[in-house]
Amino acid sequence: MSYQSRVSLLVLLDSVIVLSAIYFSYLILFPQISTYTLQTLLISSVALLISHHVFAFVYRLYQKAWEYASVGEMAAIIKAITFSVATTGAVQFVINGDMYMRVLAITWMLHIILIGGSRFSWRMYRDRFIRSKQQKKRALIVGAGAAGTMLVRQLLKSVDSAIEPVAYVDDDPRKQKLQFYGVMVQGKTANIPKIVEKYKVENIIIAIPSLSHKGVQSIYQQCSKTKVKTQIMPMIEDIVSGKVSVNQFREVQVEDLLGRDPVELDDKSIAKKLTGRTVLVTGAGGSIGSEICRQVCKFKPRKIVLLGHGENSIYQIDMELKNRYKEEFAIVPVIADVQDRDRIFEVFEEHQPSVIYHAAAHKHVPLMEFNPKEAVKNNVIGTKNVAEAADTFGVNTFVLVSSDKAVNPTNVMGSTKRIAEMVIQNLDKQSQTDFVAVRFGNVLGSRGSVIPLFKKQIQAGGPVTVTHPEMTRYFMTIPEASRLVMQAGALARGGEIFVLDMGEPVRIVDLARNLITLSGYTEEEIEISFSGIRPGEKMFEELLNENEVHPEPVFPKIFIGKAVEEDFLRVSRLIESYDSFEGPSLRDYVLSLANREEVRVGEVVNQ
């Protein structure tokens, strides 16, 4: 039906209702209508009819979608009718010197009943008959707060929604057994399994956008006891900004179950460091490097240089950033190997960067155990080349992306990362450039991380292979890791090692179980097998030695320590003659070198 046809139909319907309301009002009070009363009735009818249509247009009664009518629409009806009846009374007073108050009162009531009934009857028909014919999934809403009730209202309003809310759960004792939009709070989150069974729930929706990671983890533990699909409502900010709609749910991700809230950063200090500057990122095509590039671009640098060895990965991040920012600042892709000293110096001379994020590295623990020479060449020599280029060309800040495996290392990868830290800390003593390192744990979703491997094994029907039932690791997301690197650059004074408070370490077997559940399977369907600890692996990872960490964070959830190099001769020997070592002897040398390096107590930086 067109807009004009719809308005014409409503005007005709309202005209009949208005005339009927005032006629029956007179008929109730004056069964025998005299000529005088008839004259007053005609005048009142004309006045009421005209004033009703005027106020109906003022309050947009003909422009509302009545199939979605609610309190707001009812308020508009009452206002329009009240003013139109008052106008009619004023006309009666002007013409007759008196107002028929009882007639006006009855007219007002009949008017509201008939107009309101005509409008809301369509919504009742839609809700009772059209919606009832559709096959909908019965949903349990976790959270009866502002977000949860808004979600229920949206689901009930939408004819196309495939979800029907049947119950809430909420831990607020004041909300128990209360109804919100006709849906009752049936218990607390601890009662989720029983409520799912009782109400034959087919879908669980967590509608608490402000919930902490620990809260999500706690609720998901209850949801996982059922075999019902669990989803999360999007953030309120994303809904308000229009990025997503209220009923665009997403699946629960393993990142939601980390049990740690992300670090809030000091955007002003980061912007001061990056805005309008030239920034160079090595390893720009990798998981961490590419995310650092995305985060840097938000702060509008003058130029960003994407340096990497793999042309495909550099091409992808270059295209991605140019599609978004090509009109705002320069984006320069550079194919170069950090092991090629001359090429690195050439790049620095051409682009004169102010800030360096050094993310290029070999990071696979088992692979580096069999290729120690390559680990030294890339992680130590490569870092030395980039760091000395930064010193030569007056770079302001150099940030090395390090690893928790650099603490008391038991493998080649961790040892070369620790030696790379020694290289930049030694250089920091004699350079105007601020050299700092950032350590964090395993990054979820990065290339070579355990999550993609587990997902692939689950898709193949299992088994999911875990090295040891008690093995633990610290985990963080790629955006968290990248933001920590940037915050470290903003806090840098020279020589520090920055560490994120990563909360409690996670057992790898628990991570595997969560992924199996999130994928819609049970442990009976996807088996977990234990393969044994691989070469160079530790059961538990550390982030700082006990005598290396300052007890107080220098920034919320960011700690800082300063290692002091005692003797750089052995590091120099490694750099000069690593090529002459045999594989096993080189491995032993880098491990002993990394582990003999001690941190002096008290050499801690206070910001």
Side-chain angles (χ1 to χ4, degrees):
M1 183 183 293
S2 67
Y3 172 73
Q4 289 81 3
S5 301
R6 177 189 173 89
V7 171
S8 299
L9 183 62
L10 287 174
V11 168
L12 178 61
L13 177 63
D14 281 9
S15 299
V16 172
I17 289 173
V18 167
L19 295 176
S20 300
I22 194 165
Y23 174 77
F24 284 110
S25 299
Y26 270 92
L27 193 62
I28 291 169
L29 294 173
F30 307 104
Q32 300 295 326
I33 298 180
S34 63
T35 304
Y36 176 78
T37 305
L38 181 60
Q39 181 183 355
T40 306
L41 171 60
L42 291 173
I43 293 171
S44 299
S45 298
V46 172
L48 184 61
L49 187 62
I50 294 172
S51 60
H52 171 82
H53 290 311
V54 169
F55 286 110
F57 276 102
V58 168
Y59 289 102
R60 303 180 183 276
L61 298 190
Y62 300 137
Q63 294 174 297
K64 297 185 182 297
W66 292 103
E67 59 268 35
Y68 302 117
S70 62
V71 175
E73 283 71 25
M74 193 66 221
I77 289 173
I78 292 173
K79 288 176 183 178
I81 290 173
T82 301
F83 284 119
S84 62
V85 171
T87 302
T88 303
V91 171
Q92 288 178 348
F93 183 79
V94 169
I95 294 175
N96 299 325
D98 192 12
M99 288 190 293
Y100 294 83
M101 298 300 296
R102 289 187 299 166
V103 171
L104 293 174
I106 295 173
T107 301
W108 182 84
M109 286 188 289
L110 289 174
H111 209 159
I112 285 179
I113 292 169
L114 295 172
I115 294 288
S118 68
R119 298 301 197 270
F120 282 86
S121 60
W122 171 237
R123 174 173 174 174
M124 292 171 65
Y125 171 77
R126 169 183 163 274
D127 289 347
R128 285 183 176 274
F129 297 101
I130 297 179
R131 288 174 60 90
S132 62
K133 292 178 182 178
Q134 298 175 336
Q135 294 295 321
K136 296 179 179 289
K137 288 187 176 180
R138 298 169 64 81
L140 172 65
I141 310 300
V142 180
T149 53
M150 178 174 67
L151 171 61
V152 168
R153 183 173 182 268
Q154 180 69 20
L155 291 174
L156 293 175
K157 280 173 61 177
S158 176
V159 177
D160 300 325
S161 172
I163 295 173
E164 178 187 6
V166 295
Y168 294 100
V169 291
D170 198 292
D171 287 333
D172 187 345
R174 296 170 297 178
K175 293 179 180 176
Q176 300 304 309
K177 299 303 177 183
L178 292 182
Q179 280 193 357
F180 299 91
Y181 297 105
V183 179
M184 185 176 288
V185 180
Q186 298 290 356
K188 299 184 178 182
T189 53
N191 308 124
I192 287 175
K194 291 181 180 178
I195 294 170
V196 166
E197 185 178 357
K198 180 179 178 181
Y199 291 93
K200 298 180 181 178
V201 169
E202 301 169 272
N203 201 13
I204 299 173
I205 302 170
I206 301 174
I208 315 175
S210 60
L211 195 63
S212 67
H213 284 77
K214 285 185 178 179
V216 174
Q217 189 177 47
S218 175
I219 289 173
Y220 188 76
Q221 284 177 354
Q222 296 299 325
C223 297
S224 63
K225 294 176 184 177
T226 72
K227 292 188 177 181
V228 172
K229 182 179 182 181
T230 302
Q231 295 176 295
I232 293 183
M233 180 181 170
M235 296 293 290
I236 292 291
E237 294 83 355
D238 292 338
I239 296 170
V240 172
S241 65
K243 290 181 182 178
V244 295
S245 64
V246 176
N247 52 1
Q248 265 187 291
F249 316 118
R250 66 175 178 84
E251 304 299 320
V252 179
Q253 303 293 331
V254 69
E255 291 87 344
D256 297 314
L257 307 178
L258 280 176
R260 186 189 67 255
D261 295 325
V263 176
E264 295 297 327
L265 301 184
D266 181 3
D267 286 345
K268 287 185 179 179
S269 66
I270 297 174
K272 188 176 179 181
K273 203 79 164 181
L274 300 179
T275 303
R277 306 288 182 88
T278 296
V279 180
L280 186 147
V281 181
T282 70
S287 305
I288 301 298
S290 60
E291 183 62 25
I292 290 173
C293 294
R294 294 183 192 99
Q295 300 284 347
V296 166
C297 287
K298 294 177 182 178
F299 292 92
K300 303 295 185 289
R302 184 176 73 84
K303 176 167 66 175
I304 182 168
V305 181
L306 316 174
L307 189 148
H309 192 218
E311 62 174 342
N312 289 333
S313 57
I314 292 297
Y315 172 78
Q316 289 171 1
I317 187 64
D318 179 47
M319 289 298 99
E320 177 188 332
L321 297 181
K322 281 180 177 173
N323 284 337
R324 294 185 63 184
Y325 301 107
K326 64 180 178 182
E327 304 298 331
E328 300 179 41
F329 48 82
I331 300 169
V332 183
V334 173
I335 303 299
D337 189 338
V338 293
Q339 299 174 40
D340 185 342
R341 183 180 178 86
D342 291 341
R343 173 64 173 143
I344 292 300
F345 272 69
E346 180 184 287
V347 171
F348 273 67
E349 184 176 18
E350 178 182 354
H351 296 287
Q352 299 291 322
S354 298
V355 180
I356 306 295
Y357 296 110
H358 180 48
H362 287 324
K363 62 180 183 178
H364 296 275
V365 171
L367 280 178
M368 293 305 102
E369 288 300 292
F370 296 107
N371 298 276
K373 204 168 281 188
E374 292 303 314
V376 172
K377 284 165 63 178
N378 208 51
N379 295 358
V380 179
I381 308 299
T383 297
K384 180 175 180 290
N385 290 339
V386 179
E388 289 181 348
D391 173 50
T392 301
F393 292 98
V395 170
N396 182 269
T397 306
F398 178 103
V399 183
L400 167 68
V401 177
S402 189
S403 166
D404 58 356
K405 294 173 180 60
V407 184
N408 299 321
T410 59
N411 53 64
V412 170
M413 195 284 279
S415 297
T416 54
K417 278 295 191 181
R418 176 67 192 115
I419 296 168
E421 291 177 357
M422 296 179 194
V423 169
I424 67 162
Q425 287 173 327
N426 182 71
L427 190 57
D428 182 73
K429 298 176 190 176
Q430 53 202 2
S431 174
Q432 296 299 310
T433 300
D434 292 328
F435 288 92
V436 299
V438 186
R439 287 181 190 164
F440 43 73
N442 294 268
V443 180
L444 289 171
S446 62
R447 293 174 193 168
S449 74
V450 72
I451 303 298
L453 173 62
F454 284 172
K455 287 181 176 178
K456 201 173 280 186
Q457 290 175 336
I458 291 168
Q459 288 172 358
V464 174
T465 55
V466 178
T467 52
H468 192 281
E470 296 303 320
M471 181 170 281
T472 64
R473 289 292 183 267
Y474 292 99
F475 283 100
M476 66 193 311
T477 64
I478 292 175
E480 277 183 300
S482 304
R483 288 195 292 265
L484 173 62
V485 172
M486 295 171 64
Q487 185 65 70
L491 293 170
R493 298 294 180 271
E496 304 98 327
I497 296 175
F498 292 91
V499 179
L500 175 66
D501 176 7
M502 300 190 67
E504 295 298 319
V506 178
R507 288 202 313 166
I508 304 297
V509 69
D510 292 337
L511 194 62
R513 286 177 180 138
N514 281 331
L515 270 174
I516 289 169
T517 305
L518 289 172
S519 302
Y521 299 100
T522 65
E523 283 188 61
E524 288 74 27
E525 296 170 313
I526 302 291
E527 179 189 355
I528 295 177
S529 65
F530 297 99
S531 57
I533 298 176
R534 298 177 298 179
E537 280 192 321
K538 295 161 70 175
M539 285 286 288
F540 312 99
E541 296 290 6
E542 307 159 90
L543 290 167
L544 281 172
N545 288 317
E546 288 183 8
N547 62 343
E548 197 179 19
V549 65
H550 193 332
E552 296 297 325
V554 293
F555 192 80
K557 297 189 179 181
I558 296 181
F559 292 83
I560 188 172
K562 184 172 182 179
V564 177
E565 175 63 47
E566 291 184 353
D567 181 9
F568 199 68
L569 291 177
R570 294 187 69 207
V571 176
S572 299
R573 183 190 169 204
L574 172 69
I575 292 170
E576 291 168 5
S577 58
Y578 73 93
D579 208 30
S580 63
F581 282 90
E582 295 297 328
S585 62
L586 179 60
R587 180 187 184 279
D588 293 341
Y589 188 83
V590 295
L591 258 70
S592 65
L593 176 57
N595 281 295
R596 284 182 61 184
E597 174 61 23
E598 298 293 335
V599 178
R600 290 178 179 172
V601 179
E603 294 289 343
V604 179
V605 176
N606 288 298
Q607 298 296 323

